[in-house]
Short mmCIF file of all heavy atoms in Angstrom, two decimals:
data_model
loop_
_atom_site.label_atom_id
_atom_site.label_comp_id
_atom_site.label_asym_id
_atom_site.label_seq_id
_atom_site.Cartn_x
_atom_site.Cartn_y
_atom_site.Cartn_z
N SER A 1 8.92 7.64 -9.44
CA SER A 1 10.00 8.06 -8.54
C SER A 1 9.47 8.10 -7.12
O SER A 1 8.26 8.02 -6.89
CB SER A 1 10.53 9.43 -8.96
OG SER A 1 9.52 10.41 -8.88
N GLY A 2 10.37 8.21 -6.17
CA GLY A 2 9.97 8.20 -4.77
C GLY A 2 10.13 6.81 -4.19
O GLY A 2 11.17 6.19 -4.36
N ARG A 3 9.09 6.29 -3.60
CA ARG A 3 9.14 4.99 -2.95
C ARG A 3 8.95 3.89 -4.00
O ARG A 3 7.87 3.36 -4.18
CB ARG A 3 8.05 4.91 -1.88
CG ARG A 3 8.06 3.62 -1.08
CD ARG A 3 9.03 3.67 0.07
NE ARG A 3 9.18 2.38 0.71
CZ ARG A 3 8.43 1.94 1.71
NH1 ARG A 3 7.44 2.70 2.18
NH2 ARG A 3 8.65 0.76 2.22
N THR A 4 10.04 3.57 -4.69
CA THR A 4 9.94 2.60 -5.77
C THR A 4 10.43 1.21 -5.35
O THR A 4 10.54 0.32 -6.19
CB THR A 4 10.74 3.07 -6.99
OG1 THR A 4 12.10 3.32 -6.60
CG2 THR A 4 10.14 4.34 -7.57
N ASP A 5 10.71 1.03 -4.07
CA ASP A 5 11.13 -0.28 -3.62
C ASP A 5 9.95 -1.22 -3.45
O ASP A 5 10.12 -2.43 -3.32
CB ASP A 5 11.89 -0.16 -2.30
CG ASP A 5 11.07 0.52 -1.22
OD1 ASP A 5 10.40 1.53 -1.54
OD2 ASP A 5 11.09 0.06 -0.08
N ILE A 6 8.74 -0.67 -3.48
CA ILE A 6 7.53 -1.48 -3.38
C ILE A 6 7.09 -1.88 -4.78
O ILE A 6 7.06 -1.05 -5.67
CB ILE A 6 6.40 -0.68 -2.69
CG1 ILE A 6 6.82 -0.29 -1.28
CG2 ILE A 6 5.12 -1.49 -2.67
CD1 ILE A 6 5.83 0.62 -0.60
N PRO A 7 6.74 -3.14 -5.00
CA PRO A 7 6.27 -3.54 -6.34
C PRO A 7 4.84 -3.06 -6.57
O PRO A 7 3.92 -3.45 -5.86
CB PRO A 7 6.34 -5.07 -6.29
CG PRO A 7 6.18 -5.41 -4.85
CD PRO A 7 6.79 -4.29 -4.07
N TYR A 8 4.65 -2.22 -7.55
CA TYR A 8 3.34 -1.65 -7.84
C TYR A 8 2.71 -2.29 -9.07
O TYR A 8 3.36 -2.40 -10.11
CB TYR A 8 3.46 -0.15 -8.12
CG TYR A 8 3.94 0.68 -6.96
CD1 TYR A 8 5.29 0.99 -6.81
CD2 TYR A 8 3.04 1.17 -6.02
CE1 TYR A 8 5.72 1.75 -5.75
CE2 TYR A 8 3.48 1.94 -4.95
CZ TYR A 8 4.82 2.22 -4.82
OH TYR A 8 5.24 2.97 -3.76
N ALA A 9 1.47 -2.69 -8.95
CA ALA A 9 0.70 -3.00 -10.15
C ALA A 9 0.41 -1.67 -10.84
O ALA A 9 0.15 -0.66 -10.17
CB ALA A 9 -0.60 -3.70 -9.79
N MET A 10 0.46 -1.64 -12.16
CA MET A 10 0.33 -0.39 -12.89
C MET A 10 -0.78 -0.48 -13.92
O MET A 10 -1.11 -1.57 -14.41
CB MET A 10 1.65 -0.07 -13.61
CG MET A 10 2.86 0.00 -12.71
SD MET A 10 2.86 1.44 -11.66
CE MET A 10 3.10 2.75 -12.86
N GLY A 11 -1.31 0.68 -14.26
CA GLY A 11 -2.36 0.71 -15.27
C GLY A 11 -2.35 2.00 -16.06
O GLY A 11 -1.75 2.99 -15.64
N TRP A 12 -3.00 1.94 -17.20
CA TRP A 12 -3.24 3.13 -18.02
C TRP A 12 -4.74 3.32 -18.16
O TRP A 12 -5.47 2.36 -18.43
CB TRP A 12 -2.63 2.96 -19.42
CG TRP A 12 -1.13 3.07 -19.46
CD1 TRP A 12 -0.24 2.03 -19.45
CD2 TRP A 12 -0.36 4.26 -19.55
NE1 TRP A 12 1.04 2.52 -19.51
CE2 TRP A 12 0.99 3.89 -19.59
CE3 TRP A 12 -0.67 5.62 -19.61
CZ2 TRP A 12 2.03 4.82 -19.68
CZ3 TRP A 12 0.35 6.54 -19.70
CH2 TRP A 12 1.69 6.14 -19.73
N PHE A 13 -5.16 4.55 -17.98
CA PHE A 13 -6.55 4.94 -18.18
C PHE A 13 -6.57 6.15 -19.11
O PHE A 13 -5.54 6.80 -19.32
CB PHE A 13 -7.19 5.30 -16.83
CG PHE A 13 -7.34 4.13 -15.90
CD1 PHE A 13 -6.26 3.63 -15.20
CD2 PHE A 13 -8.58 3.52 -15.74
CE1 PHE A 13 -6.38 2.54 -14.35
CE2 PHE A 13 -8.72 2.43 -14.89
CZ PHE A 13 -7.62 1.95 -14.20
N ARG A 14 -7.74 6.44 -19.65
CA ARG A 14 -7.85 7.62 -20.50
C ARG A 14 -9.19 8.29 -20.29
O ARG A 14 -10.16 7.66 -19.87
CB ARG A 14 -7.66 7.26 -21.97
CG ARG A 14 -8.76 6.39 -22.56
CD ARG A 14 -8.40 5.95 -23.97
NE ARG A 14 -9.45 5.14 -24.58
CZ ARG A 14 -9.33 4.52 -25.75
NH1 ARG A 14 -8.19 4.62 -26.46
NH2 ARG A 14 -10.32 3.81 -26.24
N GLN A 15 -9.20 9.58 -20.59
CA GLN A 15 -10.44 10.35 -20.47
C GLN A 15 -10.54 11.29 -21.65
O GLN A 15 -9.69 12.17 -21.84
CB GLN A 15 -10.49 11.13 -19.17
CG GLN A 15 -11.81 11.81 -18.92
CD GLN A 15 -11.96 12.30 -17.49
OE1 GLN A 15 -10.96 12.48 -16.78
NE2 GLN A 15 -13.19 12.49 -17.05
N ALA A 16 -11.60 11.10 -22.42
CA ALA A 16 -11.88 11.97 -23.55
C ALA A 16 -12.80 13.10 -23.10
O ALA A 16 -13.50 12.96 -22.10
CB ALA A 16 -12.55 11.16 -24.67
N PRO A 17 -12.82 14.21 -23.82
CA PRO A 17 -13.67 15.34 -23.43
C PRO A 17 -15.13 14.92 -23.31
O PRO A 17 -15.68 14.27 -24.21
CB PRO A 17 -13.47 16.34 -24.57
CG PRO A 17 -12.14 16.01 -25.13
CD PRO A 17 -11.99 14.53 -25.00
N GLY A 18 -15.74 15.26 -22.19
CA GLY A 18 -17.15 14.97 -21.99
C GLY A 18 -17.45 13.53 -21.63
O GLY A 18 -18.63 13.16 -21.52
N LYS A 19 -16.41 12.73 -21.45
CA LYS A 19 -16.62 11.32 -21.12
C LYS A 19 -15.95 10.98 -19.80
O LYS A 19 -15.07 11.70 -19.32
CB LYS A 19 -16.06 10.43 -22.23
CG LYS A 19 -16.78 10.57 -23.56
CD LYS A 19 -16.29 9.54 -24.55
CE LYS A 19 -17.06 9.61 -25.85
NZ LYS A 19 -16.62 8.58 -26.82
N GLU A 20 -16.37 9.87 -19.23
CA GLU A 20 -15.76 9.42 -17.99
C GLU A 20 -14.41 8.74 -18.28
O GLU A 20 -14.17 8.24 -19.38
CB GLU A 20 -16.69 8.44 -17.27
CG GLU A 20 -17.97 9.09 -16.76
CD GLU A 20 -18.76 8.18 -15.84
OE1 GLU A 20 -18.39 7.00 -15.72
OE2 GLU A 20 -19.74 8.65 -15.26
N ARG A 21 -13.58 8.72 -17.25
CA ARG A 21 -12.31 8.03 -17.38
C ARG A 21 -12.57 6.54 -17.58
O ARG A 21 -13.43 5.95 -16.93
CB ARG A 21 -11.49 8.25 -16.11
CG ARG A 21 -10.09 7.68 -16.15
CD ARG A 21 -9.26 8.24 -15.02
NE ARG A 21 -9.85 7.97 -13.71
CZ ARG A 21 -9.46 8.53 -12.59
NH1 ARG A 21 -8.47 9.42 -12.61
NH2 ARG A 21 -10.03 8.23 -11.44
N GLU A 22 -11.79 5.94 -18.49
CA GLU A 22 -11.98 4.53 -18.78
C GLU A 22 -10.67 3.78 -18.74
O GLU A 22 -9.59 4.33 -18.99
CB GLU A 22 -12.64 4.34 -20.15
CG GLU A 22 -11.80 4.79 -21.32
CD GLU A 22 -12.44 4.45 -22.67
OE1 GLU A 22 -13.52 3.83 -22.70
OE2 GLU A 22 -11.83 4.80 -23.70
N PHE A 23 -10.78 2.52 -18.44
CA PHE A 23 -9.62 1.62 -18.39
C PHE A 23 -9.09 1.38 -19.79
O PHE A 23 -9.86 1.19 -20.73
CB PHE A 23 -10.04 0.30 -17.74
CG PHE A 23 -9.03 -0.80 -17.86
CD1 PHE A 23 -7.88 -0.80 -17.09
CD2 PHE A 23 -9.23 -1.84 -18.75
CE1 PHE A 23 -6.95 -1.81 -17.19
CE2 PHE A 23 -8.30 -2.86 -18.88
CZ PHE A 23 -7.17 -2.85 -18.09
N VAL A 24 -7.76 1.36 -19.92
CA VAL A 24 -7.13 1.05 -21.19
C VAL A 24 -6.35 -0.26 -21.10
O VAL A 24 -6.58 -1.19 -21.87
CB VAL A 24 -6.18 2.19 -21.63
CG1 VAL A 24 -5.43 1.81 -22.91
CG2 VAL A 24 -6.95 3.49 -21.82
N SER A 25 -5.44 -0.32 -20.13
CA SER A 25 -4.58 -1.49 -20.01
C SER A 25 -3.96 -1.52 -18.64
O SER A 25 -3.86 -0.48 -17.97
CB SER A 25 -3.50 -1.45 -21.09
OG SER A 25 -2.68 -2.61 -21.03
N ALA A 26 -3.54 -2.71 -18.20
CA ALA A 26 -2.89 -2.85 -16.91
C ALA A 26 -1.88 -3.99 -16.95
O ALA A 26 -1.99 -4.90 -17.78
CB ALA A 26 -3.92 -3.08 -15.80
N ILE A 27 -0.93 -3.92 -16.02
CA ILE A 27 0.12 -4.94 -15.95
C ILE A 27 0.41 -5.24 -14.50
O ILE A 27 0.38 -4.35 -13.64
CB ILE A 27 1.37 -4.44 -16.70
CG1 ILE A 27 2.42 -5.55 -16.85
CG2 ILE A 27 1.97 -3.21 -16.04
CD1 ILE A 27 3.52 -5.21 -17.86
N SER A 28 0.66 -6.50 -14.21
CA SER A 28 0.99 -6.91 -12.84
C SER A 28 2.37 -6.39 -12.46
O SER A 28 3.16 -6.00 -13.32
CB SER A 28 0.96 -8.43 -12.74
OG SER A 28 1.92 -9.00 -13.63
N TRP A 29 2.66 -6.40 -11.15
CA TRP A 29 3.95 -5.85 -10.74
C TRP A 29 5.11 -6.67 -11.27
O TRP A 29 6.20 -6.16 -11.47
CB TRP A 29 4.03 -5.66 -9.23
CG TRP A 29 3.98 -6.90 -8.37
CD1 TRP A 29 2.91 -7.36 -7.66
CD2 TRP A 29 5.06 -7.80 -8.07
NE1 TRP A 29 3.25 -8.49 -6.96
CE2 TRP A 29 4.56 -8.78 -7.19
CE3 TRP A 29 6.40 -7.87 -8.45
CZ2 TRP A 29 5.36 -9.81 -6.70
CZ3 TRP A 29 7.19 -8.90 -7.97
CH2 TRP A 29 6.66 -9.86 -7.10
N SER A 30 4.87 -7.95 -11.51
CA SER A 30 5.94 -8.81 -12.04
C SER A 30 6.13 -8.60 -13.54
O SER A 30 7.16 -8.97 -14.11
CB SER A 30 5.60 -10.27 -11.78
OG SER A 30 4.49 -10.66 -12.56
N GLY A 31 5.10 -8.03 -14.19
CA GLY A 31 5.14 -7.89 -15.64
C GLY A 31 4.65 -9.11 -16.38
O GLY A 31 4.55 -9.10 -17.60
N GLY A 32 4.30 -10.16 -15.65
CA GLY A 32 3.93 -11.41 -16.28
C GLY A 32 2.49 -11.49 -16.74
O GLY A 32 2.14 -12.38 -17.53
N SER A 33 1.64 -10.59 -16.26
CA SER A 33 0.23 -10.61 -16.64
C SER A 33 -0.18 -9.23 -17.12
O SER A 33 0.23 -8.22 -16.56
CB SER A 33 -0.64 -11.02 -15.45
OG SER A 33 -0.32 -12.33 -15.02
N THR A 34 -1.02 -9.22 -18.15
CA THR A 34 -1.53 -7.97 -18.70
C THR A 34 -3.01 -8.10 -19.01
O THR A 34 -3.56 -9.21 -19.10
CB THR A 34 -0.79 -7.58 -20.00
OG1 THR A 34 -0.95 -8.63 -20.96
CG2 THR A 34 0.69 -7.37 -19.75
N ARG A 35 -3.66 -6.96 -19.17
CA ARG A 35 -5.08 -6.93 -19.52
C ARG A 35 -5.31 -5.70 -20.39
O ARG A 35 -4.67 -4.67 -20.20
CB ARG A 35 -5.94 -6.88 -18.27
CG ARG A 35 -7.44 -6.96 -18.50
CD ARG A 35 -8.18 -6.99 -17.19
NE ARG A 35 -7.82 -8.17 -16.40
CZ ARG A 35 -8.02 -8.28 -15.10
NH1 ARG A 35 -8.56 -7.27 -14.42
NH2 ARG A 35 -7.68 -9.37 -14.47
N TYR A 36 -6.26 -5.82 -21.30
CA TYR A 36 -6.58 -4.72 -22.20
C TYR A 36 -8.08 -4.52 -22.31
O TYR A 36 -8.85 -5.49 -22.25
CB TYR A 36 -6.02 -5.00 -23.60
CG TYR A 36 -4.51 -5.15 -23.63
CD1 TYR A 36 -3.91 -6.39 -23.49
CD2 TYR A 36 -3.69 -4.02 -23.78
CE1 TYR A 36 -2.53 -6.52 -23.51
CE2 TYR A 36 -2.31 -4.15 -23.80
CZ TYR A 36 -1.74 -5.41 -23.66
OH TYR A 36 -0.37 -5.53 -23.67
N ALA A 37 -8.46 -3.30 -22.51
CA ALA A 37 -9.84 -3.02 -22.87
C ALA A 37 -10.10 -3.58 -24.26
O ALA A 37 -9.19 -3.61 -25.10
CB ALA A 37 -10.10 -1.51 -22.85
N ASP A 38 -11.32 -4.00 -24.51
CA ASP A 38 -11.65 -4.57 -25.81
C ASP A 38 -11.36 -3.59 -26.94
O ASP A 38 -10.97 -3.99 -28.04
CB ASP A 38 -13.11 -4.99 -25.85
CG ASP A 38 -13.39 -6.22 -25.00
OD1 ASP A 38 -12.43 -6.94 -24.65
OD2 ASP A 38 -14.58 -6.46 -24.68
N SER A 39 -11.54 -2.32 -26.67
CA SER A 39 -11.38 -1.30 -27.71
C SER A 39 -9.94 -1.13 -28.19
O SER A 39 -9.69 -0.57 -29.26
CB SER A 39 -11.91 0.05 -27.22
OG SER A 39 -11.21 0.45 -26.04
#
């Protein structure tokens, strides 16, 4: 919400207790490209 007129690339990250935040998945602003962590 808010300034949603700008196309944002988006991502998901996660952090488990005692661990650093890690990349999970991401998607381009168009939705046409994605990436995933191997796990």
Side-chain angles (χ1 to χ4, degrees):
S1 61
R3 183 84 188 271
T4 56
D5 57 318
I6 299 174
Y8 296 95
M10 303 289 292
W12 287 97
F13 293 77
R14 67 187 181 187
Q15 187 167 21
K19 295 187 177 182
E20 293 190 353
R21 185 166 58 192
E22 65 174 358
F23 169 75
V24 175
S25 182
I27 189 166
S28 61
W29 65 258
S30 69
S33 298
T34 59
R35 185 177 298 161
Y36 299 92
D38 288 343
S39 59

